[in-house]
């Protein structure tokens, strides 16, 4: 069996002033056709699964372009169209193929395109025709659009947030598409719009039990896969919002009912899904008062993984003003300050200005006498089965606070973010990480407690403060009861009646 595999992914914050250009893809990850390394990258789950089959002697795998960029603003039009057309040309050259599997994000937008994935999948369909099955693996922070679901045979989202299961979901997707190509299954998709925008962290209840519940449904009653599309709350597009996607083996009616049931369960839990968000001062007060260590504080407002610059100083300035001891903070994206730190050298004590460069949401620069702890060339941080580039990195100390500066814009993911530059986060009383929830995979297990802040920055924690203009309404929390306000879905009732699954004890 002959399979074509490619990947094109980024998460687009449509409010971000930073355009996503070709260099952004090249700096994050770029592998031309047939040149993807053996180690998996974040959006190469389908490729890893296809390669495993090829190694067993079962398949011929044609590898197209694989690339992704760190989240930022809209992708430059000619860049998206160039990558898209490159993948399409590689597919045409590979024809005929028995199946196509893609590594996508689901929230990629470019100049002139609100739904890059729908556009790409539709063009792939035009090449392969109606009989060749097409599948795509998606980040759950996607916008599940009609164009995507109508043109693809199967879409599978990562189930976990942090997204540590991208390889498992790649295997899941490829198995479904392969069975379709061999005539062993007829996947059909059913989706349900939960009419809400919410933060869904699978590291805590009740979402943890909900994910375990949907996993338990797979492989029974013809259910091939169940996904939750959380949505990307900083993408102002019409189809933003949480949705449930069920794939069945030719059981559309059952899939529709199950998607609705699960979607209503999720809607019923909406008030208790997100963690409490504390102000910067309140989170520091809480951290200082707790007896355990380390206390880990997330700073989602400047999360580069959501398209923020990653250079804001509001939180760090508050830590320095308190003269905190045994504290760590990072990362701050500032290539110029990193370069100056390398020029000064390890052990140097000198005056440095860093951070606060990208605009009002980044705060004022920090001006301080710093000690250079350690320098690392071409550093990386780990995340699950893959790594993310940090570029040249510097560890600095100001009083009792140790800080990580990086060259390649990225959120905090692994403990090696700190250990690369001589900082031991496990030995600290307080560790502040610029991330929304991906940090939890590495930092959660070692933390005595995890707190979530909502300070100034590019990413508002209260979604009602985001100036949407394209969102389809009604939708919670902008509308108190979106099903009563516009009961146009095929539901048995305008009110959610399903109970949420019981949390595990």
């Amino acid at each position: 069996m002959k399979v074509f595999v490619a990947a094109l992914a980024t998460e687009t914050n449509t409010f971000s002033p930073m355009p996503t250009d070709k260099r952004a893809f090249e700096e994050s990850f770029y592998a031309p056709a047939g040149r993807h390394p053996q180690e998996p990258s974040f959006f190469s789950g389908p490729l890893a699964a296809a390669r495993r089959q090829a190694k067993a002697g079962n398949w011929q795998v044609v590898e197209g372009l694989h690339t992704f960029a760190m989240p930022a603003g809209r992708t430059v039009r000619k860049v998206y169209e160039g990558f898209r057309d490159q993948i399409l040309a590689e597919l045409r050259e590979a024809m005929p193929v028995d199946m196509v599997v893609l590594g996508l994000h689901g929230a990629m937008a470019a100049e002139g395109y609100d739904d890059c994935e729908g556009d790409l999948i539709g063009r792939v369909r035009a090449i392969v025709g109606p009989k060749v099955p097409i599948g795509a693996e998606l980040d759950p922070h996607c916008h599940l659009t009609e164009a995507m679901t109508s043109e693809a045979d199967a879409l599978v989202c990562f189930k976990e947030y942090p997204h540590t299961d991208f390889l498992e979901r790649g295997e899941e997707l490829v198995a479904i598409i392969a069975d379709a190509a061999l005539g062993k299954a007829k996947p059909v998709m059913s989706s349900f719009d939960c009419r809400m925008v919410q933060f869904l962290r699978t590291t805590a209840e009740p979402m943890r039990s909900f994910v375990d519940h949907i996993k338990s449904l797979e492989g029974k009653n013809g259910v091939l896969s169940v996904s939750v599309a959380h949505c990307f709350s900083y993408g102002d597009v019409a189809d933003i919002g949480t949705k449930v996607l069920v794939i069945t083996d030719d059981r559309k009616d059952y899939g529709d009912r199950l998607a609705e049931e699960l979607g209503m369960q999720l809607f019923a839990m909406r008030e208790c899904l997100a963690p409490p968000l504390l102000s910067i001062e309140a989170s520091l007060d809480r951290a200082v008062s707790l007896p355990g260590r380390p206390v880990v504080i997330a700073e989602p407002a400047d999360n580069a993984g959501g398209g923020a610059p990653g250079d804001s100083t509001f939180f760090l300035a508050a830590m320095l003003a308190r003269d905190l001891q045994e504290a760590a903070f990072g990362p701050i994206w500032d290539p110029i300050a990193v370069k100056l730190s390398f020029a000064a050298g390890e052990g140097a004590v000198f005056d440095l200005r860093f951070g606060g460069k990208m605009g009002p949401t980044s705060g004022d620069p920090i001006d301080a006498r710093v000690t250079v702890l350690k320098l690392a060339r071409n550093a990386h941080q780990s995340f699950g089965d893959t790594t993310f580039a940090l570029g040249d990195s510097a560890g600095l100390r100001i009083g009792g606070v140790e800080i990580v500066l990086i060259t390649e814009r990225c959120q905090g993911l692994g403990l090696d973010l700190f250990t690369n530059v001589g900082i031991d986060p496990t030995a600290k009383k307080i560790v502040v990480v610029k991330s929304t929830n991906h940090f939890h995979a590495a930092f959660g297990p070692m933390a005595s407690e995890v707190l979530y802040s909502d300070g100034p920055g590019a990413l508002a924690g209260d979604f009602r403060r985001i100036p949407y203009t394209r969102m389809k309404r009604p939708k919670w929390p902008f509308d108190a009861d979106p099903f009563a306000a516009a009961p146009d879905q095929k539901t048995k009732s305008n009110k959610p009646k399903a109970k949420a699954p019981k949390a595990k004890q």
Side-chain angles (χ1 to χ4, degrees), residues 86-322:
Q86 182 178 340
I87 290 172
L88 297 175
E90 292 162 355
L91 173 60
R92 290 189 187 94
E93 185 176 350
M95 290 294 289
V97 298
D98 299 296
M99 53 189 278
V100 176
V101 286
L102 303 170
L104 307 177
H105 184 285
M108 181 179 183
E111 297 167 342
Y113 299 87
D114 276 359
D115 178 15
C116 292
E117 290 84 359
D119 176 63
L120 175 59
I121 295 171
R123 292 171 187 270
V124 168
R125 175 62 70 198
I127 293 171
V128 302
K131 295 182 179 180
V132 173
I134 301 170
E137 184 181 30
L138 304 174
D139 188 299
H141 295 111
C142 62
H143 310 301
L144 199 61
T145 68
E146 174 64 25
M148 294 160 64
T149 56
S150 64
E151 297 292 353
D153 294 274
L155 302 171
V156 172
C157 297
F158 313 148
K159 287 182 172 63
E160 302 295 340
Y161 181 35
H163 308 327
T164 53
D165 62 330
F166 67 95
L167 291 178
E168 291 89 339
R169 301 289 77 77
E171 292 281 353
E172 179 181 319
L173 171 73
V174 169
I176 292 171
I177 295 300
D179 282 350
L182 294 170
K184 295 180 179 179
K186 185 180 179 182
V188 293
M189 292 191 286
S190 302
S191 65
F192 180 83
D193 187 350
C194 301
R195 297 194 184 185
M196 68 180 188
V197 175
Q198 181 57 298
F199 176 37
L200 310 178
R201 52 182 182 144
T202 66
T203 51
E205 297 296 355
M207 197 62 194
R208 177 69 264 153
S209 289
F210 187 81
V211 170
D212 292 339
H213 175 56
I214 65 174
K215 286 182 177 180
S216 73
L217 299 173
E218 296 173 335
K220 303 172 185 175
N221 301 312
V223 176
L224 303 177
S225 174
V226 182
S227 295
V228 178
H230 300 195
C231 91
F232 180 53
S233 51
Y234 304 100
D236 187 15
V237 297
D239 288 300
I240 184 175
T242 303
K243 296 181 182 179
V244 173
L245 178 67
V246 174
I247 305 176
T248 59
D249 186 1
D250 201 21
R251 296 196 66 190
K252 184 68 163 64
D253 290 343
Y254 178 73
D256 289 348
R257 293 194 301 271
L258 181 59
E260 176 186 335
E261 176 187 340
L262 293 171
M264 284 304 204
Q265 287 179 8
L266 199 54
F267 182 80
M269 296 188 292
R270 64 196 181 280
E271 298 280 4
C272 55
L273 290 168
L277 297 178
L278 305 173
S279 69
I280 291 175
E281 296 299 337
S283 64
L284 289 174
D285 287 343
R286 173 72 175 157
V288 169
S289 69
L290 289 169
R293 58 190 296 146
V295 177
V296 175
I297 307 174
E299 189 196 7
D302 192 40
N303 174 19
D311 72 334
S312 87
T313 58
F314 298 106
F315 214 117
L316 178 59
M319 296 171 72
L320 296 174
R322 288 179 178 233

